[in-house]
Amino acid sequence: MESLVDTYKKSAVDGMEHFLKVFSFVPDDKLDWTPAPTAKSAIRIAAHTALYPARFAGMISNRKLPSHDNLEAWLAQRNAAEVAITSREEVEMIFRKGTDQVLAALESLTPEEIEMTLDSGFGWSVPMTWLMNLSGIHAIAHAAQIDYLQTCWDDQEVHF
């Protein structure tokens, strides 16, 4: 029987691979297209998705959620990091590196740490198992955003 760590490692890799496959069907001339002025483009969604596994790995490795004492500054930094990624190659490289970090962080957990609950600092707590599964879920959720954008330019194919 597969261990919990192995299950979540598989989820992280499968989620990444699924996202990258769906993203590969975005035509080059549609990478920056948005359905509305305030909406995110496919490249921006991909950049966001690619950057987060490293962040999740840090939370798992540190056994704590980040503190956002200055949420506005943190969001500005996050947004700047996303905008700085401008190519498919960067997305894939960052995504794969971050996912490797998630796999290593998952391997580092002891059985006791897997059972722990992390304080959010906002009055609620998060089970470590939820955080362990987040990388895969996050990638799948954002792949659905790419799917939606594809329907906006009349790509009705199912890409998986």
Side-chain angles (χ1 to χ4, degrees), residues 90-91 96 158:
E90 286 177 285
V91 166
R96 290 190 184 284
V158 177

Side-chain angles (χ1 to χ4, degrees), residues 16-17 20 49-58 89-105 135:
M16 175 193 66
E17 294 296 350
L20 291 172
T49 309
L51 286 165
Y52 266 83
R55 291 178 176 135
F56 299 146
E89 296 77 22
E90 286 177 285
V91 166
E92 184 168 355
M93 179 193 69
I94 292 165
F95 211 152
R96 290 190 184 284
K97 182 178 178 187
T99 300
D100 286 344
Q101 292 170 336
V102 167
L103 302 181
S135 191

Side-chain angles (χ1 to χ4, degrees), residues 30-56:
K30 300 292 187 195
L31 284 173
D32 292 312
W33 180 87
T34 63
T38 57
K40 289 184 179 180
S41 66
I43 193 73
R44 179 75 186 271
I45 293 166
H48 169 90
T49 309
L51 286 165
Y52 266 83
R55 291 178 176 135
F56 299 146

Side-chain angles (χ1 to χ4, degrees), residues 3-130:
S3 74
L4 197 56
V5 168
D6 289 338
T7 298
Y8 292 142
K9 285 170 58 178
K10 183 176 179 345
S11 173
V13 171
D14 289 350
M16 175 193 66
E17 294 296 350
H18 175 72
F19 182 91
L20 291 172
K21 175 141 183 153
V22 170
F23 183 57
S24 76
F25 290 97
V26 175
D28 288 341
D29 66 331
K30 300 292 187 195
L31 284 173
D32 292 312
W33 180 87
T34 63
T38 57
K40 289 184 179 180
S41 66
I43 193 73
R44 179 75 186 271
I45 293 166
H48 169 90
T49 309
L51 286 165
Y52 266 83
R55 291 178 176 135
F56 299 146
M59 293 177 220
I60 295 166
S61 295
N62 295 328
R63 281 58 165 173
K64 69 179 207 169
L65 300 174
S67 136
H68 296 303
D69 296 330
N70 187 342
L71 185 58
E72 202 170 296
W74 181 83
L75 289 172
Q77 180 278 332
R78 183 203 67 184
N79 292 342
E82 290 174 8
V83 171
I85 298 172
T86 60
S87 75
R88 293 177 194 275
E89 296 77 22
E90 286 177 285
V91 166
E92 184 168 355
M93 179 193 69
I94 292 165
F95 211 152
R96 290 190 184 284
K97 182 178 178 187
T99 300
D100 286 344
Q101 292 170 336
V102 167
L103 302 181
L106 290 171
E107 281 291 330
S108 74
L109 291 169
T110 66
E112 295 77 27
E113 290 167 334
I114 290 170
E115 296 298 321
M116 69 190 296
T117 301
L118 307 172
D119 180 20
S120 71
F122 295 105
W124 44 271
S125 53
V126 174
M128 178 62 85
T129 52
W130 182 84

